[in-house]
Amino acid sequence: MGVMNRVIDTNAHVENLKCDIYVDRGNAIAKISFSNLGFGDITAIKFNACGFNSFGDIVFVNGREKFFLIIQDLVIAKNENATELRAVLPDANIKKLDLEECQICYADGSVV
């Protein structure tokens, strides 16, 4: 059996971030899931996102490589999993999405 390396971001507030893209009525939709690491109940999350087309080329949004993807009006309890959160993407040519946690709003009003 081979050695498996696991990288852990000690500053992260979510883990197991997954994203699938599908098309619905001409819109690219991201289906996102992640685990809340337990700092509090999450009410909104903002990601830095970079989209790619089928060929792996970056899809520019408003002339930029990256854009914010915001999901609001959530209630993800601490130590729970968010599953199948949906967000409409700004360009239907996006077939793959790289996401990085940017900001999180918690139920107590704090933002990190």
Side-chain angles (χ1 to χ4, degrees), residues 22-34:
Y22 66 95
V23 177
D24 183 30
R25 298 179 208 169
N27 292 314
I29 309 292
K31 185 169 62 170
I32 299 168
S33 62
F34 59 84

Side-chain angles (χ1 to χ4, degrees), residues 5-17:
N5 293 324
R6 182 171 179 185
V7 177
I8 299 173
D9 182 351
T10 57
N11 296 315
H13 293 98
V14 300
E15 70 175 356
N16 301 324
L17 180 60

Side-chain angles (χ1 to χ4, degrees), residues 24-71:
D24 183 30
R25 298 179 208 169
N27 292 314
I29 309 292
K31 185 169 62 170
I32 299 168
S33 62
F34 59 84
S35 300
N36 180 353
L37 288 178
F39 293 95
D41 294 354
I42 294 174
T43 58
I45 188 164
K46 183 194 298 185
F47 296 102
N48 279 323
C50 185
F52 301 89
N53 66 19
S54 298
F55 296 99
D57 303 321
I58 293 174
V59 176
F60 289 84
V61 175
N62 295 325
R64 298 176 183 250
E65 288 185 11
K66 293 191 174 190
F67 61 96
F68 290 126
L69 181 66
I70 300 171
I71 304 174

